[in-house]
Amino acid sequence: MSATLCEQVIEITTNYLGPTAKRFVYRQVSVHLNKSPESLDSKDLPILADWSKLALGLITNDKNEVDRFEQDILSLSKAGGKSKKVSA
Amino acid sequence: MTAKKSASKKPNPNKFYLWFFVLLLGYVLGTIFAPIKGNTYHLSNLAIHLLQLTLVIPIATTWFLAVFAGVRFKRYANKIGDYPDGEAINWLANGLLTLGFVSLATSLFSVFVNYQEPNTMVYRNLRIESNILGVLAIAAVFLLIYRGSRRLLKLIDRPDSETDVRTRLIATILTVILTASYAASLFTDAYRSSTPDALKHTSFYMSDAWLFFVILIPTVIVWAIGSQAMANLIVYQANVKGTTYRQVFKQLSVGLTLVLSIYILMTILTTISQFLIGASLKSVLIFLYIFIIVYASGFIIIARGANNLSKIEEV
């Protein structure tokens, strides 16, 4: 179940960071949440969204894109970690 | 984890700078101490040396920028290790580094040729070897970049067929136009097989049949590969997932396309250099500087793109 959530985060991130998404998500989870990507659960999503927003903000100046990215990750929490159609 | 382990074993790309400066030193010394032959613009020896410097410095800067962009690219490739995009980027980085070193090495060879007495057998043979080596060297560059671009393209599930067809069609049309221009300039050059004054007119010292099979056909094949590599990069950039990644990768594809295009144009220009003989020194220099600036800009764009891609892996 946790692995599925991680995959969903990677799927969302792929819409922004393409082939670098998996590495990006793994890095955010292991460095900022101090846990393995497989053990990611929905309670971690707000913190992960915060760090991911901050990180994407360092790569692009497009504020709307950064906000959309954060909302897309948070939407997984609202959906209870279930698979949903991602925007962007 | 496997990818990370392999990445840590990759050699430090900074060593390329050492090799570059060793070769550059040889080129600068070779140019400065080369015997002054011919004096088209009737300049003093001091003026000729100063003129050489005004050209050597910007040209050497473009070679340095090529190596600099290649090293930046290589660092990024090392960072993402053996991931599929990492392998593709590594091929592109190798192509760029080869371009920087090949440009320097072929010029170094030309400096060595200039020490020979013009129109002697040794001079002619070295000129022939220099031309053939030039074609082989650029073939290596374009093949490396093509291989990297093909690998990147394989990462896309289904590229948009309209973009794909349109880009390849434009690339093919441009290759045909460039080929026609190159063939026309090559075979209308009165001094293509031999020259009465090797200091004024460059010559291939080959018969037309040899020129066709040894220079024109391989060059055109190499350009076709190069133009398809550019098309691959444009199609990849247009189709790859990731809005932010696409923006960042655009710098790389624009820079590489600019650099490869300018290189092809410069090859054509060297065959029509006879037309520049009649031009004033000022207009020749302005013309050369514009080319050098655009060429250098391509490498700067690539280096910036590689830096921004690296940033994605650091945040």
Side-chain angles (χ1 to χ4, degrees):
Chain A
M1 208 54 183
S2 296
T4 313
L5 181 62
C6 185
E7 281 169 11
Q8 286 174 42
V9 175
I10 291 170
E11 193 186 336
I12 284 171
T13 310
T14 303
N15 290 322
Y16 297 89
L17 292 175
T20 67
K22 190 176 178 181
R23 297 189 292 267
F24 178 86
V25 173
Y26 273 39
R27 206 167 45 249
Q28 302 306 315
V29 174
S30 58
V31 173
H32 300 304
L33 301 177
N34 235 345
K35 63 199 299 188
S36 71
E38 292 79 17
S39 60
L40 185 73
D41 66 55
S42 53
K43 281 182 286 193
D44 300 320
L45 288 174
I47 302 171
L48 179 65
D50 266 357
W51 280 111
S52 300
K53 180 186 178 180
L54 203 68
L56 193 72
L58 295 171
I59 302 163
T60 177
N61 296 324
D62 189 340
K63 199 178 173 305
N64 291 336
E65 175 118 326
V66 175
D67 289 340
R68 215 165 39 240
F69 182 44
E70 183 192 23
Q71 288 310 312
D72 282 346
I73 295 177
L74 287 174
S75 69
L76 283 176
S77 170
K78 287 168 198 158
K82 284 179 188 156
S83 186
K84 71 182 274 287
K85 187 83 180 159
V86 289
S87 60
Chain B
M1 284 307 272
T2 318
K4 278 187 178 176
K5 270 182 189 170
S6 308
S8 64
K9 282 179 193 165
K10 304 262 164 98
N12 184 354
N14 284 342
K15 70 178 178 196
F16 291 112
Y17 288 130
L18 177 70
W19 286 108
F20 173 79
F21 284 113
V22 168
L23 284 172
L24 185 65
L25 185 67
Y27 174 77
V28 171
L29 292 177
T31 306
I32 290 170
F33 292 111
I36 294 170
K37 297 170 189 169
N39 196 343
T40 311
Y41 299 104
H42 309 293
L43 303 169
S44 66
N45 280 4
L46 178 67
I48 287 173
H49 281 305
L50 287 174
L51 186 61
Q52 280 173 336
L53 271 182
T54 61
L55 283 172
V56 165
I57 291 170
I59 289 170
T61 306
T62 62
W63 297 335
F64 173 75
L65 286 173
V67 175
F68 176 71
V71 167
R72 287 289 163 114
F73 230 143
K74 196 84 181 162
R75 273 197 203 135
Y76 173 60
N78 286 353
K79 200 171 276 182
I80 56 180
D82 295 331
Y83 287 97
D85 56 331
E87 287 177 18
I89 294 286
N90 196 36
W91 283 103
L92 296 179
N94 288 341
L96 262 180
L97 281 169
T98 310
L99 178 60
F101 280 101
V102 151
S103 305
L104 177 51
T106 49
S107 298
L108 192 60
F109 192 79
S110 289
V111 167
F112 173 67
V113 176
N114 286 337
Y115 276 82
Q116 310 300 319
E117 273 306 309
N119 284 347
T120 59
M121 190 56 84
V122 177
Y123 181 87
R124 282 163 179 252
N125 287 341
L126 285 173
R127 272 270 166 251
I128 291 168
E129 284 159 18
S130 161
N131 287 323
I132 293 172
L133 282 175
V135 175
L136 290 175
I138 202 62
V141 172
F142 279 26
L143 277 170
L144 287 167
I145 292 176
Y146 177 78
R147 188 154 186 187
S149 70
R150 280 294 303 166
R151 284 195 173 216
L152 279 178
L153 214 51
K154 280 182 186 167
L155 300 177
I156 302 172
D157 296 335
R158 284 176 64 188
D160 170 40
S161 57
E162 198 187 318
T163 319
D164 195 13
V165 170
R166 197 178 52 226
T167 310
R168 282 178 205 291
L169 187 67
I170 293 170
T172 308
I173 291 170
L174 286 176
T175 309
V176 170
I177 294 171
L178 290 171
T179 301
S181 315
Y182 185 53
S185 61
L186 206 59
F187 288 100
T188 53
D189 182 1
Y191 307 105
R192 61 188 180 278
S193 305
S194 64
T195 170
D197 185 352
L199 300 172
K200 277 190 176 175
H201 313 283
T202 51
S203 178
F204 286 90
Y205 299 106
M206 288 180 193
S207 67
D208 281 355
W210 273 91
L211 201 56
F212 183 81
F213 288 110
V214 178
I215 300 292
L216 182 66
I217 295 293
T219 302
V220 168
I221 292 170
V222 169
W223 287 358
I225 292 167
S227 68
Q228 287 311 306
M230 289 185 245
N232 289 343
L233 290 170
I234 292 166
V235 171
Y236 173 76
Q237 190 265 319
N239 288 278
V240 69
K241 276 186 180 175
T243 43
T244 304
Y245 178 80
R246 259 202 308 274
Q247 285 169 15
V248 177
F249 193 87
K250 194 175 185 178
Q251 292 176 313
L252 282 187
S253 70
V254 167
L256 273 167
T257 305
L258 198 61
V259 161
L260 296 186
S261 308
I262 292 290
Y263 195 95
I264 291 173
L265 285 175
M266 282 197 294
T267 309
I268 297 176
L269 281 172
T270 52
T271 60
I272 58 167
S273 58
Q274 54 175 324
F275 296 117
L276 295 176
I277 293 285
S280 69
L281 178 61
K282 191 181 166 189
S283 49
V284 171
L285 285 177
I286 289 172
F287 186 72
L288 283 173
Y289 284 138
I290 289 172
F291 253 82
I292 290 169
I293 289 168
V294 177
Y295 195 47
S297 307
F299 291 118
I300 292 169
I301 294 170
I302 293 169
R304 279 192 63 184
N307 256 3
N308 289 336
L309 278 172
S310 289
K311 214 192 274 179
I312 297 179
E313 308 296 332
E314 286 160 8
V315 291

